[in-house]
Amino acid sequence: MGPGTAVGDREWERELLRGPGAAVVGDRDREWLLRDREWLWGLGMAVGTWDGTGNGCGGSGMAAGTGNGCGGPGGAGWAWHRSGCVSRGLRPGPASPRCCPAPGHSNLNINDVLGNYSLTLIDALDTLAVMGNSSEFQKAVKLVIDTVSFDKDSTVQVFEATIRVLGSLLSAHIIITDSKQPFGDMTIKDYDNELLHLAHDLAVRLLPAFENTKTGIPYPRVNLKKGVPPDSHNETCTAGAGSLLVEFGILSRLLGDSTFEWVARRAVKALWSLRSNNTGLLGNVVNIQTGHWVGKQSGLGAGSDSFYEYLLKSYILFGEKEDLEMFNAAYQNIQNHLRRGREACNEGEGDPPLYVNVNMYTGQLMNTWIDSLQAFFPGLQVLIGDVEDAICLHAFYYAIWKRYGALPERYNWQLQAPDVPFYPLRPELVESTYLLYQATKNPFYLHVGMDILQSLEKYTKAKCGYATLHHVVEKTKEDRMESFFLSETCKYLYLLFDEENPVHKSGNKFMFTTEGHIVSVDERFRNSLWEDILPGEEESSQKSKPTELKAANFSSNCNRVPDERRYLLPLKSNYMRQIDRMVGLI
Ligand code: DMJ
């Protein structure tokens, strides 16, 4: 029987279903899976019970420590709050909660991501709403209002503070003030826009990063009290500097103050103007004063990922035509220079399509690894309707997941081995899985989600939460749970299985920020109140209807996925096997 025939696919599918972790496909299985949402609730409770009244942090997959032995009385989440060691990130082990190092501490990885401003609590707010848990949402919001202050001698990354903190505050504010209340009653008694004020305060503290830079590209770090540290270096990455527009734009439009959107947009345009004349590609590290590319690697992973994502998402939200034009050009250049392998995902000869890292000026291969971060790209492709291509790249990452039960931070496709072996509970593969399921409704993606979920349970579950895998082969753990585990990984997993969720059923249109924060695609974000007062910007503020969204070189959209493909594997079995071979699975 020839590979790729319908019957071949079905056989392979059955084989797949007999394999370990196979549980889904077919209505009965799906029912069972949906019943298992209770388990997901447990996972969701990783963000719940902020007052520490829960019993035992391990029960029902509960994380963030709500019981004894997890960072003091009431568990880590509570202990942070009471001990003055207000949460920066989470330590899922039964040790004391992670405290922020002293200001100026050299451990940048901890210091300037965690920020000493209740990062995990804030980042998880809208996850509670999406899960319909109004009491915990209201409790968490009040805790933020009562305890969080940004008036701190704390040096933070502008990018991380924007996507994790600013984005979450704005998202929660929008949910609270939405007159339709799609997630149930998420209103807060006597709410006086406190979250919006907090967001504003934080953004003002980030603004110094955009001053004294000759290109308009911001400094990567800023001290919340003192501005840009005197010893700041002048190099930043493309994603860090160029993915601020969604949050800054929302803030500007809610406040009617163009400043924030203006600086973020200026940074995007500055980066865009530095693309190579030859390939149209951008590098990954740039000098903010000279505009010279320090990192000439062009790829879709670390240092670049969300730059592309935000070109498209800014357009979806604000309808500014120039954002779509930049995105379309960037997408075309990516296809021309980064994509390797056969032309079509699901037909023809040759290696499976893969997006590699190249020199931005020549388009020549720079290395043979791919980042786990790049697994977001199929999700982005879904948003523009390039579902066919998305299926292939997603399948590649899923094969890596199957091999290790996690995604190594960097995987070397030539050596078929991890180059950087840790897995910090990143969401990108789940995110793409969720979006592909929404686009295709193919139960295969429920199977993938279940597989991911079971691996998380098996390898990363710790006493007080879910732990970073230090090594995906050895399965050793680190006492660290990144805040994006709650804001993204849990949220996308939950939504994947919750078909009735208001996100899917309320009739509202929602978009996810790069940190997974939910924002309604709302007419009010399409009106910039300052248009009249900024003459000469008419061109850039041209609006286009969402229906005009059409990316360059897209080969399909979700309506074009033929019916039979919805019930078979999304990718022909011979191609699936080819990918499995490529990652050393078979
Ligand atoms: C998140 O903070 C965001 O998704 C960001 O865009 C990339 N990295 C992490 C998750 O891996």
Side-chain angles (χ1 to χ4, degrees):
M1 194 170 308
T5 63
V7 178
D9 280 345
R10 283 200 200 98
E11 274 176 1
W12 199 90
E13 189 176 42
R14 278 192 216 107
E15 216 175 277
L16 175 88
L17 291 170
R18 279 194 296 268
V24 196
V25 183
D27 284 343
R28 246 190 45 221
D29 288 326
R30 192 186 298 205
E31 260 172 43
W32 169 82
L33 188 63
L34 292 174
R35 253 184 278 132
D36 211 47
R37 271 166 49 188
E38 274 174 35
W39 186 92
L40 282 159
W41 254 110
L43 191 69
M45 286 307 289
V47 286
T49 323
W50 296 107
D51 63 2
T53 53
N55 297 320
C57 60
S60 322
M62 192 174 290
T66 57
N68 293 335
C70 293
W78 181 231
W80 293 338
H81 169 48
R82 286 168 102 186
S83 65
C85 177
V86 179
S87 67
R88 292 97 196 167
L90 203 95
R91 298 184 75 173
S96 55
R98 186 190 289 283
C99 272
C100 219
H105 191 285
S106 60
N107 190 347
L108 297 179
N109 184 30
I110 294 176
N111 210 13
D112 64 3
V113 174
L114 301 180
N116 196 15
Y117 45 27
S118 303
L119 175 68
T120 303
L121 172 68
I122 297 175
D123 211 359
L125 288 177
D126 65 306
T127 302
L128 288 164
V130 166
M131 292 178 172
N133 195 339
S134 54
S135 59
E136 291 304 324
F137 175 78
Q138 287 156 344
K139 217 179 273 178
V141 167
K142 282 194 194 125
L143 204 49
V144 170
I145 291 173
D146 291 345
T147 63
V148 171
S149 158
F150 297 119
D151 190 24
K152 285 187 171 3
D153 185 5
S154 182
T155 299
V156 299
Q157 289 182 33
V158 175
F159 171 69
E160 298 292 353
T162 299
I163 65 165
R164 300 199 200 197
V165 182
L166 188 61
S168 189
L169 291 171
L170 292 170
S171 166
H173 169 77
I174 292 165
I175 289 169
I176 293 166
T177 54
D178 187 336
S179 56
K180 292 192 217 132
Q181 289 291 292
F183 300 106
D185 182 7
M186 297 292 157
T187 54
I188 304 289
K189 197 166 172 280
D190 300 325
Y191 183 69
D192 192 17
N193 298 317
E194 286 92 341
L195 296 188
L196 182 61
H197 295 316
L198 272 173
H200 187 192
D201 178 48
L202 175 61
V204 169
R205 291 169 191 278
L206 299 179
L207 279 183
F210 297 85
E211 290 161 16
N212 303 318
T213 131
K214 293 204 181 98
T215 57
I217 301 169
Y219 283 93
R221 294 183 170 78
V222 82
N223 183 289
L224 293 176
K225 233 188 169 95
K226 303 174 188 159
V228 176
D231 59 347
S232 259
H233 51 85
N234 285 325
E235 288 163 12
T236 193
C237 70
T238 305
S243 319
L244 308 167
L245 186 51
V246 166
E247 288 81 4
F248 275 50
I250 294 172
L251 182 67
S252 268
R253 287 160 196 256
L254 285 175
L255 295 173
D257 175 352
S258 65
T259 313
F260 305 98
E261 178 165 341
W262 191 83
V263 292
R265 196 168 274 288
R266 185 181 58 163
V268 173
K269 285 185 183 172
L271 284 162
W272 185 245
S273 72
L274 296 174
R275 68 196 184 280
S276 153
N277 290 332
N278 185 30
T279 62
L281 296 173
L282 286 79
N284 57 347
V285 181
V286 70
N287 184 304
I288 65 166
Q289 304 298 359
T290 64
H292 288 146
W293 289 103
V294 181
K296 298 175 182 55
Q297 176 177 302
S298 197
L300 299 177
S304 301
D305 49 358
S306 48
F307 175 76
Y308 302 110
E309 179 185 357
Y310 266 21
L311 292 179
L312 183 63
K313 290 191 171 172
S314 299
Y315 170 72
I316 292 172
L317 206 54
F318 307 130
E320 304 286 355
K321 234 176 176 173
E322 66 172 359
D323 295 333
L324 181 63
E325 281 161 8
M326 283 188 279
F327 177 80
N328 277 339
Y331 194 75
Q332 189 63 63
N333 297 331
I334 287 167
Q335 298 303 313
N336 292 345
H337 300 287
L338 267 54
R339 193 178 182 282
R340 301 285 193 272
R342 65 176 174 269
E343 201 175 318
C345 166
N346 216 16
E347 59 188 51
E349 302 289 316
D351 291 332
L354 195 62
Y355 293 81
V356 296
N357 299 316
V358 303
N359 180 300
M360 62 173 284
Y361 293 113
T362 63
Q364 274 172 350
L365 192 69
M366 275 188 86
N367 49 52
T368 57
W369 47 259
I370 49 174
D371 276 332
S372 92
L373 285 166
Q374 198 204 96
F376 88 100
F377 197 67
L380 188 67
Q381 293 185 299
V382 166
L383 294 190
I384 53 158
D386 200 352
V387 177
E388 282 299 333
D389 211 56
I391 286 170
C392 259
L393 186 59
H394 175 275
F396 200 89
Y397 275 100
Y398 176 48
I400 303 173
W401 184 284
K402 277 191 289 184
R403 180 158 173 202
Y404 301 105
L407 282 186
E409 187 71 353
R410 258 184 207 173
Y411 174 79
N412 193 312
W413 44 264
Q414 193 173 62
L415 302 176
Q416 296 190 350
D419 266 356
V420 179
F422 70 89
Y423 170 63
L425 305 166
R426 288 199 189 281
E428 285 75 12
L429 182 61
V430 191
E431 176 184 354
S432 290
T433 304
Y434 164 67
L435 290 164
L436 269 163
Y437 180 64
Q438 288 304 315
T440 64
K441 292 290 171 191
N442 190 315
F444 170 77
Y445 294 107
L446 294 176
H447 165 80
V448 174
M450 195 61 194
D451 205 1
I452 291 174
L453 203 144
Q454 286 174 337
S455 314
L456 287 172
E457 276 294 276
K458 189 166 170 195
Y459 300 124
T460 73
K461 191 166 178 172
K463 189 159 187 195
C464 308
Y466 291 77
T468 291
L469 276 187
H470 182 65
H471 200 294
V472 295
V473 178
E474 293 159 8
K475 306 289 189 292
T476 42
K477 295 190 185 89
E478 282 178 32
D479 197 4
R480 175 167 184 154
M481 184 170 102
E482 286 284 346
S483 67
F484 51 66
F485 178 68
L486 301 182
S487 69
E488 293 194 78
T489 314
C490 291
K491 188 185 287 148
Y492 288 125
L493 262 177
Y494 187 85
L495 284 173
L496 173 65
F497 298 115
D498 190 12
E499 310 241 9
E500 302 303 315
N501 195 279
V503 171
H504 311 132
K505 294 282 171 164
S506 70
N508 285 23
K509 290 194 183 113
F510 294 101
M511 193 190 80
F512 297 94
T513 69
T514 190
E515 186 73 1
H517 296 305
I518 198 148
V519 187
S520 43
V521 182
D522 195 314
E523 205 41 52
R524 71 187 149 148
F525 298 132
R526 294 187 159 244
N527 304 322
S528 43
L529 302 174
W530 56 88
E531 259 164 27
D532 300 342
I533 49 165
L534 286 180
E537 301 220 335
E538 300 84 34
E539 221 179 289
S540 70
S541 60
Q542 271 180 14
K543 297 286 185 304
S544 55
K545 299 229 170 67
T547 45
E548 285 178 34
L549 176 63
K550 184 177 167 190
N553 197 36
F554 77 109
S555 58
S556 174
N557 63 36
C558 43
N559 293 328
R560 290 190 194 171
V561 175
D563 256 4
E564 78 263 12
R565 296 265 310 285
R566 292 175 191 232
Y567 308 107
L568 298 174
L569 286 174
L571 188 61
K572 287 175 185 164
S573 56
N574 55 324
Y575 293 140
M576 284 276 194
R577 274 195 290 268
Q578 182 192 28
I579 290 175
D580 284 352
R581 267 194 303 275
M582 274 189 73
V583 301
L585 254 179
I586 51 175

